[in-house]
Amino acid sequence: MVELLHENPEIYRIDIPLKGNALKNLNCYVLKSRGESVVIDTGFNNPDCKDALDAGLAELGISMNHTNLLITHLHTDHCGLAPGFRSKDSKIYMSKLEHELIRKWKHRKYRWEMDAIFRQEGFPQEALVEAAKRNPMIVYAADTDYDVVPLRDGDKIEIGDLTFTALAMPGHTPEHMCYYLEKEKIMFLGDHILYDITPNITVWPGVKHSLSTYLINLHRMLTYDIEIAYPAHRGIQGKTLPQRVEEITEHHSRRLNEILQVLREHPGSSGYEVASRLTWSLHGESWDTAPKRQIWFAMGETMAHLEYLMEMEKIFRGNKLVNGQRIHTYFLENKL
Ligand SMILES: [Zn+2]
């Protein structure tokens, strides 16, 4: 399905279904200018996404190997189909750091580092194995390698009459890029800000302070002159950016308070125990029966919040031995 969103510049949305995924859809944006075109994000590397992208591009008279691709971030719902854009007439643009991370993901060592972070919070090994089987970063990854024009914060990309500025907004991922048309006052948000759901913030090997970095960049978005802001998933209007920034900030502050309350009642809980005591919408399932993939996301989010509370010196970390393995435990700072 293709929808014309904006006439000058010409902006279209291709609705890419993400079947079986809680995100439901990807908003793939296509812009045309003076005989050139650019696609922002692709969908998973699976037949449903590929069919929807192919059909949408065909309707617009564009082919993958004769356009350009801007990737907002490394998640496979955004870049799973990127190899199809490789050709001498197309350029693929992406954060330099995130392109390197995609390559690292292919190596077991990096995934082990990620697993080790979860294990030291008490996440059960069998749940890790189960969650990995459905990890979209593995299941729907691009099937072949591809080169990109590596982007850094502030880089300009010229397509027809359009000039995009790549804005590094780390938080949701280590160097998530938003793309800004300054003259037209239009921002492509990727997953940095979504209108209907809260972007997932988690921990990454070698990356510190995901949540505080995210919150800084969340508010940084309000420093740009923006008339229209397009998110990568679900609804594309209905709320203003300042409203969403406030709501998302409140969401995190509620979560942080909830964690403090859990630690007040259960000092010395492991990260996993904290996560299991928080409220999650698990589609009617309990913590123990919910799919391990969902528990894995919840755990990642909890760790990012625990790290933030340590950074703010509201809690501190200890250790305990469980089945011969040393895992982290958390306590409120005395002053609270
Ligand atoms: Zn994402």
Side-chain angles (χ1 to χ4, degrees), residues 212-225:
S212 53
T213 305
Y214 176 72
L215 292 173
I216 289 166
N217 285 313
L218 182 64
H219 288 87
R220 199 180 129 212
M221 189 50 84
L222 299 181
T223 65
Y224 294 91
D225 192 4

Side-chain angles (χ1 to χ4, degrees), residues 53-258:
L53 182 61
D54 281 343
L57 292 179
E59 206 176 318
L60 293 169
I62 293 172
S63 69
M64 269 196 206
N65 53 17
H66 200 82
T67 183
N68 299 286
L69 174 65
L70 297 185
I71 296 171
T72 58
H73 65 291
L74 55 74
H75 283 147
T76 48
D77 48 329
H78 298 261
C79 61
L81 294 168
F85 289 78
R86 284 174 307 186
S87 92
K88 61 177 176 40
D89 296 320
S90 310
K91 279 190 182 144
I92 304 173
Y93 298 85
M94 184 180 192
S95 143
K96 182 176 189 301
L97 173 73
E98 296 220 346
H99 188 237
E100 285 163 8
L101 284 176
I102 283 183
R103 290 189 161 157
K104 273 194 177 175
W105 255 102
K106 299 211 164 103
H107 297 286
R108 241 186 230 158
K109 184 175 165 287
Y110 186 78
R111 302 214 295 264
W112 280 344
E113 283 173 37
M114 187 68 122
D115 287 354
I117 298 176
F118 278 69
R119 267 199 304 270
Q120 69 189 5
E121 301 299 330
F123 199 85
Q125 174 62 24
E126 42 313 339
L128 269 180
V129 173
E130 197 53 40
K133 285 185 199 158
R134 292 176 180 273
N135 187 341
M137 281 300 284
I138 300 166
V139 183
Y140 298 128
D143 43 14
T144 48
D145 212 354
Y146 52 94
D147 288 323
V148 301
V149 179
L151 296 175
R152 292 181 191 276
D153 187 32
D155 282 355
K156 305 278 186 203
I157 302 140
E158 313 264 342
I159 288 155
D161 282 334
L162 303 170
T163 303
F164 292 87
T165 307
L167 297 173
M169 296 276 176
H172 174 64
T173 53
E175 198 177 52
H176 181 293
M177 288 286 179
C178 294
Y179 296 105
Y180 183 39
L181 291 171
E182 187 176 0
K183 191 159 60 87
E184 296 80 3
K185 302 182 184 174
I186 295 174
M187 184 74 81
F188 293 90
L189 297 164
D191 284 3
H192 183 50
I193 297 175
L194 301 169
Y195 294 152
D196 300 338
I197 42 178
T198 311
N200 174 262
I201 309 298
T202 187
V203 291
W204 300 81
V207 176
K208 284 205 165 122
H209 312 312
S210 292
L211 182 57
S212 53
T213 305
Y214 176 72
L215 292 173
I216 289 166
N217 285 313
L218 182 64
H219 288 87
R220 199 180 129 212
M221 189 50 84
L222 299 181
T223 65
Y224 294 91
D225 192 4
I226 301 169
E227 275 175 8
I228 306 174
Y230 291 118
H233 300 287
R234 307 256 195 121
I236 60 167
Q237 56 197 13
K239 296 216 169 126
T240 65
L241 272 186
Q243 271 176 323
R244 267 318 269 159
V245 167
E246 198 183 316
E247 286 173 5
I248 293 172
T249 308
E250 267 172 28
H251 162 88
H252 289 294
S253 108
R254 270 199 308 277
R255 186 60 98 201
L256 292 165
N257 283 329
E258 204 186 351

